């Protein structure tokens, strides 16, 4: 393959000492390739303009001539240097701050190119950069890249070094995209694109370079994700579920409600996948309360009736307990057994459970992370369902999956993912969407009130409870401190118990033992507790249809998706429901969150706004999202390119030439390096 820029240390570039090389490491720059792909985040425009085009406040570059005598004023340790200039036919004043040494150079009639901010009223420019035409450094007339630098690495130095790097190694930058794609989009070559991003001739050319590299980043990512799936599908067959329609009907008929049209559609999609030899990898997304659980139940039922076992993994013990209860109730009439495996199932109980799982005496296991421990074995795991998917790391899901022989996988999420992200994060994972909520649901009314109206909020609690309903009161979130959150909850619980002596106020927080939490939840389910004071432990999944009031204290401290999740705890039955956000936001983002929540209760809209406010990197929380980081591409702004890249990658992988033709060798090498052929680094 010739020399790879990947294997050449930056030190090899003239002007980079061993010491400077070390300093570059801090910026993730180790090799020549890294350096050449260290792109500027903007450009300074040193192309001269005519004064007539420049507006007040603009930063601009002008070619001018010195006509006045420079005047230097000193005050304290500072100085101001002013000089009359002419940029034919206009006269103006140029001002330098704290650069008194420029005075000597400002000789009459000398030509100078100055960059700075234009002040129309004072007819003056404050100089930030200048260069004399007779002693230029070559900045003039160019767009100068601006890199993210710091420490001993200066802007001027890195510009010089990257330029040098391009001179020495630019010709060795390999092409990676196939001719067909380069032709299709009329892309410039890779080496020209990279060079032009660092030193664009003009704005248009710079954009062309960027266009090509953005596409490349997104295309390679899509190729990687999709190649992985294609290879997996080709190599390993999934479980074929044989359950027939009549058997499934029996179960569906036993439910206390009729499936919504959306649920019926998704049911078909799931069953179709299950019966096929392909390994199902389906994401089920639906707003809170859209009825996802029953689809998980159908999938688990179908796997058991086909002779396999099923696992349901959820992020919290409370949720595991809840699912355990509801599945047991649903499956009992069909002789299907359900077990619970969480961190608090230990000793004898745990041993027995593991044994019956391994021997195939237990059909379904519901649990938390405890399910992915090493000593958990199945006799024949055919279906893995994970609920509230975004809380699990990519690895955790694939560990569970590997406990079976390519079981089908259904991932459920209540945080509807904007299409932008779904397409990126999940590659060609199939997506089912529950677009409607069950009939008869009354929309949730959301109010935003200032804390001084708390009295009236508490009256609302009274009213709901008097009508036989229940309420949640969520405590303020103290960042980084679970301990303070808990203290808040305890304090609030005392206050509420005093405020409502005539009914029972419960308390729930993360520091309670699983047994205690379970006891409180059980009491809340059975309406022994009417008002539940809680931290965010009830955020996901909790389903108490009789609860109609959700009050969130200091609501502006919560993220938008989190608020929507909390709100989703009510409005799950036939009764009118309310969400009250108590907040006096100090920040703009806090106010925007409150407005977004009162504007809409559509989860897709909420997550779209959340994405806008937070940016994609933050959207899924931590690194576990598997969200790639791009150097140039921006998933929101470059969404259309992402879609194109996705389709192109899919088409290319279908082409048998892809695996043989020389035109695709660089792409195959890329996949090889990304270890697509060896392991499952992507879920
Ligand atoms: P989520 O999508 O938030 O997980 P759940 O599956 O917990 O929602 O369902 C919310 C509530 O709606 C539950 O109480 C469930 O029993 C009920 N439900 C689900 N499907 C229907 C339906 N088709 N008709 C009426 N109620 C339903
Ligand atoms: Mg749920």
């Amino acid at each position: 393959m010739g020399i790879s820029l990947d294997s050449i240390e930056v030190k090899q570039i003239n002007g980079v000492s061993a010491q400077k090389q070390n300093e570059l490491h801090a910026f993730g720059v180790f090799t020549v390739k890294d350096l050449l792909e260290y792109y500027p985040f903007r450009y300074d425009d040193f192309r001269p303009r005519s004064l007539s085009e420049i507006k007040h406040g603009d930063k601009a570059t002008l070619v001018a001539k010195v006509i006045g005598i420079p005047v230097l004023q000193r005050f304290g340790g500072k100085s101001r240097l002013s000089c009359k200039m002419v940029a034919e036919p206009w006269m103006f004043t140029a001002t330098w701050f704290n650069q008194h040494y420029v005075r000597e150079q400002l000789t009459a009639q000398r030509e100078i190119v100055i960059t700075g901010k234009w002040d129309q009223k004072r007819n003056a420019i404050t100089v930030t950069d200048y260069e004399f035409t007779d002693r230029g450094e070559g900045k003039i007339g160019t767009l100068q890249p601006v890199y993210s630098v710091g420490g001993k690495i200066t802007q001027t130095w890195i510009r010089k070094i990257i330029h040098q790097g391009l001179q020495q190694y630019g010709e060795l930058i390999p092409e990676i995209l196939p001719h067909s794609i380069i032709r299709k989009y009329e892309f410039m070559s890779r080496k020209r694109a990279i060079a032009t991003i660092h030193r664009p001739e003009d704005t248009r050319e710079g954009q062309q370079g960027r266009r090509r590299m953005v596409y490349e980043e997104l295309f390679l990512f899509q190729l990687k994700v999709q190649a992985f799936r294609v290879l997996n599908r080709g190599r390993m067959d999934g479980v074929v579920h044989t359950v027939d329609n009549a058997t499934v009907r029996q179960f569906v008929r036993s439910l206390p409600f009729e499936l919504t049209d959306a649920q019926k559609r998704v049911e078909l999609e799931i069953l179709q996948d299950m019966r096929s030899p392909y390994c199902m990898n389906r994401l089920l997304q639906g707003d809170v309360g859209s009825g996802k659980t029953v689809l998980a139940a159908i999938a688990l039922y179908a796997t058991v009736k086909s002779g396999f076992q099923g696992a349901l993994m959820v992020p919290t013990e409370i949720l595991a307990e809840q699912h355990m209860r509801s599945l047991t109730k649903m499956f009992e009439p069909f002789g299907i057994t359900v077990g619970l495996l969480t961190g608090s199932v230990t000793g004898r109980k745990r041993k027995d459970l593991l044994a019956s799982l391994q021997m195939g005496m237990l059909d379904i296991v519901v649990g938390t992370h405890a399910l992915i421990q090493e000593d958990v074995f199945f006799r024949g795991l055919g279906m893995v369902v994970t609920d509230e998917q975004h809380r699990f790391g990519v690895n955790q899901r694939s560990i569970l999956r590997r406990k079976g022989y390519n079981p089908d996988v259904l991932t459920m999420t209540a945080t509807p993912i904007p299409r932008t992200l779904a397409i990126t994060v999940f590659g060609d994972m199939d997506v089912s969407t529950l677009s409607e909520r069950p009939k008869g649901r009354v929309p949730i009314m959301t109010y935003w009130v200032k804390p001084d109206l708390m009295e009236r909020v508490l009256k609302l609690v009274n009213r709901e409870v008097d009508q036989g309903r229940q309420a949640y009161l969520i405590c303020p979130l103290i960042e980084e401190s679970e301990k303070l959150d808990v203290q808040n909850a305890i304090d609030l619980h005392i206050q509420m118990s005093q405020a409502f002596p005539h009914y029972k106020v419960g308390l729930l927080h993360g520091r309670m033992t699983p047994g205690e939490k379970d006891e409180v939840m059980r009491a809340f389910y059975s309406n022994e507790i009417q008002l539940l004071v809680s931290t965010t432990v009830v955020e996901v999944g909790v389903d108490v249809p009789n609860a109609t009031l959700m009050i969130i204290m200091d609501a502006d401290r919560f993220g938008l998706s989190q608020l929507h999740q909390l709100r989703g705890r009510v409005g799950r039955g036939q009764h009118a429901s309310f969400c009250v956000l108590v907040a006096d936001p100090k920040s703009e983002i806090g106010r925007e969150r409150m407005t977004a929540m009162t504007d809409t209760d559509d989860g897709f809209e909420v997550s779209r706004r959340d994405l806008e406010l937070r940016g994609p990197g933050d959207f899924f929380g931590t690194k576990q999202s598997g969200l790639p980081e791009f150097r140039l591409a921006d998933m929101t702004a470059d969404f259309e390119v992402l879609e194109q890249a996705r389709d192109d990658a899919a088409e290319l992988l279908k082409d048998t030439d892809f695996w043989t033709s020389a035109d695709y060798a660089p792409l195959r090498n890329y996949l090889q390096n990304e270890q697509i052929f060896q392991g499952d680094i992507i879920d």
Side-chain angles (χ1 to χ4, degrees):
M1 239 198 101
I3 321 168
S4 156
L5 298 181
D6 234 353
S7 57
I8 307 174
E9 283 187 304
V10 251
K11 216 169 53 194
Q12 298 304 317
I13 294 172
N14 298 338
V16 181
S17 62
Q19 193 199 343
K20 275 285 200 283
Q21 166 160 292
N22 280 336
E23 280 156 16
L24 281 170
H25 289 176
F27 297 92
V29 173
F30 296 85
T31 66
V32 171
K33 177 174 184 285
D34 296 335
L35 185 75
L36 297 184
E37 290 176 9
Y38 197 72
Y39 300 123
F41 61 89
R42 67 176 172 84
Y43 300 93
D44 272 342
D45 192 345
F46 289 96
R47 292 169 306 173
R49 290 202 279 161
S50 153
L51 246 185
S52 59
E53 309 166 6
I54 301 171
K55 287 192 295 294
H56 179 69
D58 277 2
K59 191 183 174 207
T61 297
L62 287 174
V63 183
K65 226 181 243 169
V66 178
I67 54 165
I69 297 173
V71 179
L72 181 67
Q73 292 166 287
R74 290 183 187 269
F75 36 93
K78 305 201 170 103
S79 75
R80 179 168 67 202
L81 176 68
S82 309
C83 188
K84 282 257 175 305
M85 305 263 169
V86 62
E88 291 298 344
W90 286 277
M91 291 220 304
F92 65 96
T93 309
T95 310
W96 280 259
F97 285 99
N98 306 320
Q99 283 171 282
H100 57 88
Y101 50 85
V102 179
R103 180 165 63 165
E104 280 81 72
Q105 304 171 39
L106 295 172
T107 50
Q109 296 301 314
R110 194 171 182 193
E111 196 173 70
I112 181 171
V113 185
I114 52 185
T115 301
K117 197 171 164 185
W118 175 243
D119 184 336
Q120 184 83 51
K121 291 169 201 134
R122 289 177 43 242
N123 194 36
I125 207 164
T126 306
V127 182
T128 51
D129 217 313
Y130 66 96
E131 195 174 302
F132 292 98
T133 331
D134 52 26
R135 232 195 38 211
E137 304 152 38
K139 268 197 296 214
I140 301 314
T142 63
L143 289 168
Q144 285 291 316
V146 181
Y147 299 92
S148 148
V149 289
K152 296 214 172 97
I153 307 286
T154 64
Q155 204 59 252
T156 322
W157 187 80
I158 200 155
R159 277 180 192 157
K160 203 177 79 196
I161 290 308
I162 289 178
H163 183 51
Q164 180 61 31
L166 283 167
Q167 300 236 299
Q168 275 176 255
Y169 296 104
E171 281 306 308
L172 296 179
I173 295 174
E175 184 52 78
I176 182 163
L177 294 180
H179 297 311
S180 53
I181 284 178
I182 292 178
R183 263 199 310 275
K184 180 170 169 190
Y185 298 106
E186 297 179 343
F187 282 143
M188 47 176 76
S189 70
R190 190 159 191 273
K191 64 183 167 212
R192 181 147 158 245
I194 290 180
T196 214
I197 285 175
H198 292 296
R199 327 196 96 217
E201 291 276 318
D202 55 45
T203 321
R204 214 190 90 81
E205 211 214 359
Q207 278 164 355
Q208 290 298 326
R210 185 183 179 277
R211 184 174 74 96
R212 135 107 218 202
M213 295 313 290
V214 163
Y215 175 90
E216 180 182 307
E217 279 185 337
L218 297 171
F219 174 79
L220 290 181
F221 175 70
Q222 284 299 320
L223 190 74
K224 182 166 80 174
V225 174
Q226 295 185 37
F228 178 73
R229 295 209 191 290
V230 168
L231 290 171
N232 262 350
R233 275 189 180 166
R235 224 167 29 193
M236 312 181 283
D237 287 336
V239 175
V240 179
H241 290 93
T242 53
V243 68
D244 59 48
N245 281 333
T247 312
V248 178
R249 282 279 82 72
Q250 269 180 3
F251 175 65
V252 174
R253 265 205 306 271
S254 78
L255 296 169
F257 44 73
E258 203 194 327
L259 295 186
T260 63
D261 289 343
Q263 283 170 325
K264 283 181 192 156
R265 182 170 40 76
V266 174
E267 178 200 8
L268 273 182
E269 288 169 352
I270 292 173
L271 288 174
Q272 217 162 48
D273 274 2
M274 287 180 70
R275 287 172 180 141
S276 87
Y278 289 137
C279 203
M280 168 164 97
N281 191 8
R282 186 168 281 281
L283 178 75
L284 170 54
Q285 57 172 351
D287 205 349
V288 271
S290 59
K292 292 180 292 293
T293 315
V294 66
L295 289 159
I298 293 172
L300 292 168
Y301 170 89
T303 203
V304 173
K305 289 295 175 186
S306 306
F308 297 94
Q309 290 169 298
L312 172 61
M313 183 159 76
V314 298
T316 65
E317 297 214 357
I318 291 175
L319 215 47
E321 298 264 1
Q322 175 182 295
H323 282 312
M324 171 72 192
R325 264 194 298 275
S326 59
L327 290 183
T328 306
K329 208 161 88 191
M330 285 188 232
F331 289 150
E332 220 154 38
F334 300 92
I336 295 172
T337 50
V338 188
L340 179 72
L341 184 57
T342 62
S344 45
V345 177
T346 52
R348 182 80 248 153
K349 245 171 124 181
R350 182 169 188 277
K351 270 209 187 100
D352 287 349
L353 185 115
L354 292 187
S356 47
L357 256 190
Q358 189 165 12
M359 291 187 298
M361 280 147 45
L362 191 60
D363 298 318
I364 287 168
V365 64
V366 180
T368 53
H369 294 83
L371 284 179
I372 60 175
Q373 283 157 358
E374 258 174 45
D375 57 348
V376 180
F377 297 100
F378 292 82
R379 173 121 197 277
L381 181 60
M383 169 62 66
V384 171
V385 183
T386 54
D387 195 6
E388 311 302 349
Q389 159 276 332
H390 63 289
R391 303 199 145 212
F392 288 109
V394 163
N395 289 333
Q396 293 166 337
R397 265 176 285 147
S398 56
I399 290 174
L400 182 55
R401 187 156 74 188
R402 265 182 258 129
K403 288 187 181 292
Y405 183 73
N406 297 324
D408 284 341
V409 176
L410 178 67
T411 334
M412 303 196 288
T413 178
T415 305
I417 298 160
R419 237 167 82 70
T420 332
L421 288 187
I423 214 178
T424 315
V425 180
F426 302 108
D428 74 344
M429 190 182 212
D430 299 305
V431 178
S432 291
T433 304
L434 280 183
S435 43
E436 59 176 312
R437 297 196 195 161
K439 285 186 203 69
R441 293 279 171 79
V442 188
I444 304 164
M445 303 292 291
T446 303
Y447 303 101
W448 166 24
V449 303
K450 298 277 166 72
D452 53 4
L453 286 181
M454 200 56 202
E455 285 284 301
R456 286 178 50 190
V457 175
L458 295 183
K459 285 213 178 90
L460 198 56
V461 177
N462 250 324
R463 193 191 75 188
E464 288 302 298
V465 174
D466 284 350
Q467 289 173 6
R469 305 284 89 78
Q470 290 162 276
Y472 297 92
L473 180 57
I474 304 299
C475 300
L477 190 72
I478 311 275
E479 234 162 311
E480 321 267 351
S481 172
E482 198 203 349
K483 206 169 138 198
L484 287 176
D485 284 351
V486 168
Q487 194 51 52
N488 259 325
I490 293 170
D491 293 347
L492 208 53
H493 178 244
I494 295 170
Q495 286 172 29
M496 291 303 122
S497 304
Q498 284 161 355
F500 301 108
H502 47 293
Y503 46 78
K504 190 136 196 291
V505 182
L507 172 66
L508 194 68
H509 60 69
R511 293 277 169 104
M512 290 160 61
T513 68
E516 287 166 345
K517 280 192 248 180
D518 190 37
E519 187 39 48
V520 172
M521 276 320 291
R522 210 185 296 277
F524 194 57
Y525 283 123
S526 58
N527 201 0
E528 284 157 45
I529 287 174
Q530 287 78 43
L531 174 62
L532 183 62
V533 175
S534 172
T535 58
T536 54
V537 288
V538 294
E539 180 185 340
V540 289
V542 168
D543 184 38
V544 181
N546 191 47
T548 52
L549 180 56
M550 166 60 68
I551 302 162
I552 306 171
M553 304 301 290
D554 281 351
D556 54 313
R557 297 206 187 149
F558 296 84
L560 206 41
S561 292
Q562 201 174 14
L563 287 171
H564 184 67
Q565 287 302 311
L566 286 167
R567 171 167 61 184
R569 295 314 110 216
V570 297
R572 304 174 79 83
Q574 292 93 45
H575 309 289
S577 295
F578 310 89
C579 173
V580 182
L581 310 167
V582 183
D584 189 7
K586 299 279 176 285
S587 67
E588 187 54 34
I589 190 165
R591 272 187 293 277
E592 285 185 36
R593 282 179 189 148
M594 296 305 99
T595 321
M597 283 291 288
T598 46
D599 279 358
T600 180
D601 78 335
D602 172 354
F604 282 87
E605 179 59 18
V606 168
S607 73
R608 198 187 57 74
R609 297 229 199 160
D610 199 19
L611 180 64
E612 250 172 41
L613 288 177
R614 284 204 276 170
D618 241 22
F619 188 77
F620 281 90
T622 54
K623 285 209 155 53
Q624 65 172 229
S625 63
L627 211 78
E629 281 191 22
F630 298 114
R631 284 171 190 264
L632 285 173
D634 170 333
M635 280 194 295
T636 321
D638 300 315
F639 176 49
E640 278 171 26
V641 184
L642 176 64
E643 279 192 315
Q644 267 167 0
R646 182 202 199 207
D647 296 346
D648 291 341
E651 198 177 318
L652 194 58
L653 288 169
K654 273 189 224 135
D655 185 350
T656 45
D657 272 0
F658 179 74
W659 306 102
T660 51
S661 156
D663 195 25
Y664 304 120
L667 290 179
R668 291 196 301 270
N669 277 324
Y670 163 77
L671 291 178
Q672 186 87 49
N673 287 336
E674 294 288 317
Q675 303 188 317
I676 286 300
F677 303 104
Q678 287 125 49
D680 45 359
I681 52 168
I682 301 167
D683 188 28

mmCIF file of all heavy atoms in Angstrom, residues 146 173 288 335 407 421 435 456 474 512 550 676:
data_model
loop_
_atom_site.group_PDB
_atom_site.id
_atom_site.type_symbol
_atom_site.label_atom_id
_atom_site.label_comp_id
_atom_site.label_asym_id
_atom_site.label_seq_id
_atom_site.Cartn_x
_atom_site.Cartn_y
_atom_site.Cartn_z
ATOM 1 N N VAL A 146 -8.137 28.995 11.345
ATOM 2 C CA VAL A 146 -7.977 29.188 12.780
ATOM 3 C C VAL A 146 -8.193 27.840 13.449
ATOM 4 O O VAL A 146 -9.247 27.219 13.305
ATOM 5 C CB VAL A 146 -8.981 30.218 13.335
ATOM 6 C CG1 VAL A 146 -8.767 30.416 14.826
ATOM 7 C CG2 VAL A 146 -8.846 31.535 12.589
ATOM 8 N N ILE A 173 -1.334 11.640 0.476
ATOM 9 C CA ILE A 173 -2.677 11.433 1.030
ATOM 10 C C ILE A 173 -3.453 10.511 0.090
ATOM 11 O O ILE A 173 -3.646 10.836 -1.082
ATOM 12 C CB ILE A 173 -3.430 12.770 1.187
ATOM 13 C CG1 ILE A 173 -2.728 13.652 2.230
ATOM 14 C CG2 ILE A 173 -4.884 12.538 1.580
ATOM 15 C CD1 ILE A 173 -3.310 15.053 2.353
ATOM 16 N N VAL A 288 -43.896 8.100 25.968
ATOM 17 C CA VAL A 288 -44.317 7.537 27.252
ATOM 18 C C VAL A 288 -45.816 7.284 27.232
ATOM 19 O O VAL A 288 -46.583 8.115 26.762
ATOM 20 C CB VAL A 288 -44.002 8.477 28.450
ATOM 21 C CG1 VAL A 288 -42.635 8.216 28.977
ATOM 22 C CG2 VAL A 288 -44.188 9.928 28.069
ATOM 23 N N GLY A 335 -49.509 -20.845 31.659
ATOM 24 C CA GLY A 335 -48.515 -21.764 32.211
ATOM 25 C C GLY A 335 -47.081 -21.350 31.943
ATOM 26 O O GLY A 335 -46.162 -22.168 31.960
ATOM 27 N N PRO A 407 -29.947 -14.603 19.721
ATOM 28 C CA PRO A 407 -31.376 -14.403 19.957
ATOM 29 C C PRO A 407 -31.858 -13.154 19.232
ATOM 30 O O PRO A 407 -31.061 -12.295 18.870
ATOM 31 C CB PRO A 407 -31.432 -14.182 21.474
ATOM 32 C CG PRO A 407 -30.102 -13.623 21.829
ATOM 33 C CD PRO A 407 -29.128 -14.292 20.911
ATOM 34 N N LEU A 421 -30.747 11.127 14.756
ATOM 35 C CA LEU A 421 -29.894 10.341 15.622
ATOM 36 C C LEU A 421 -30.118 8.863 15.422
ATOM 37 O O LEU A 421 -29.183 8.080 15.433
ATOM 38 C CB LEU A 421 -30.149 10.705 17.080
ATOM 39 C CG LEU A 421 -29.627 12.074 17.474
ATOM 40 C CD1 LEU A 421 -29.775 12.267 18.959
ATOM 41 C CD2 LEU A 421 -28.179 12.230 17.074
ATOM 42 N N SER A 435 -47.017 5.402 17.158
ATOM 43 C CA SER A 435 -47.289 6.810 16.900
ATOM 44 C C SER A 435 -48.541 7.308 17.611
ATOM 45 O O SER A 435 -48.794 8.491 17.671
ATOM 46 C CB SER A 435 -47.421 7.017 15.400
ATOM 47 O OG SER A 435 -48.199 5.969 14.861
ATOM 48 N N ARG A 456 -51.244 27.051 46.154
ATOM 49 C CA ARG A 456 -52.306 26.647 45.235
ATOM 50 C C ARG A 456 -52.020 25.293 44.619
ATOM 51 O O ARG A 456 -52.937 24.532 44.321
ATOM 52 C CB ARG A 456 -52.484 27.709 44.163
ATOM 53 C CG ARG A 456 -53.187 28.895 44.776
ATOM 54 C CD ARG A 456 -53.387 30.054 43.847
ATOM 55 N NE ARG A 456 -53.984 29.747 42.551
ATOM 56 C CZ ARG A 456 -54.020 30.663 41.575
ATOM 57 N NH1 ARG A 456 -53.493 31.847 41.750
ATOM 58 N NH2 ARG A 456 -54.586 30.365 40.421
ATOM 59 N N ILE A 474 -41.938 15.464 42.898
ATOM 60 C CA ILE A 474 -40.524 15.182 42.609
ATOM 61 C C ILE A 474 -39.643 16.291 43.186
ATOM 62 O O ILE A 474 -39.901 17.478 42.977
ATOM 63 C CB ILE A 474 -40.281 15.076 41.087
ATOM 64 C CG1 ILE A 474 -41.205 14.020 40.469
ATOM 65 C CG2 ILE A 474 -38.821 14.758 40.783
ATOM 66 C CD1 ILE A 474 -41.017 12.620 40.995
ATOM 67 N N MET A 512 -32.494 4.238 49.674
ATOM 68 C CA MET A 512 -33.249 3.207 50.386
ATOM 69 C C MET A 512 -32.837 1.832 49.867
ATOM 70 O O MET A 512 -32.377 1.700 48.737
ATOM 71 C CB MET A 512 -34.756 3.425 50.173
ATOM 72 C CG MET A 512 -35.278 4.671 50.887
ATOM 73 S SD MET A 512 -36.853 5.292 50.249
ATOM 74 C CE MET A 512 -37.938 3.922 50.542
ATOM 75 N N MET A 550 -48.571 15.211 38.671
ATOM 76 C CA MET A 550 -47.113 15.163 38.774
ATOM 77 C C MET A 550 -46.635 16.572 39.067
ATOM 78 O O MET A 550 -46.859 17.484 38.268
ATOM 79 C CB MET A 550 -46.534 14.655 37.454
ATOM 80 C CG MET A 550 -45.035 14.844 37.251
ATOM 81 S SD MET A 550 -43.965 14.033 38.455
ATOM 82 C CE MET A 550 -44.229 12.301 38.087
ATOM 83 N N ILE A 676 -13.889 -4.631 11.704
ATOM 84 C CA ILE A 676 -15.250 -5.048 11.409
ATOM 85 C C ILE A 676 -15.329 -6.551 11.202
ATOM 86 O O ILE A 676 -16.328 -7.190 11.471
ATOM 87 C CB ILE A 676 -15.735 -4.341 10.127
ATOM 88 C CG1 ILE A 676 -16.032 -2.892 10.440
ATOM 89 C CG2 ILE A 676 -16.955 -4.985 9.539
ATOM 90 C CD1 ILE A 676 -17.088 -2.710 11.467
#
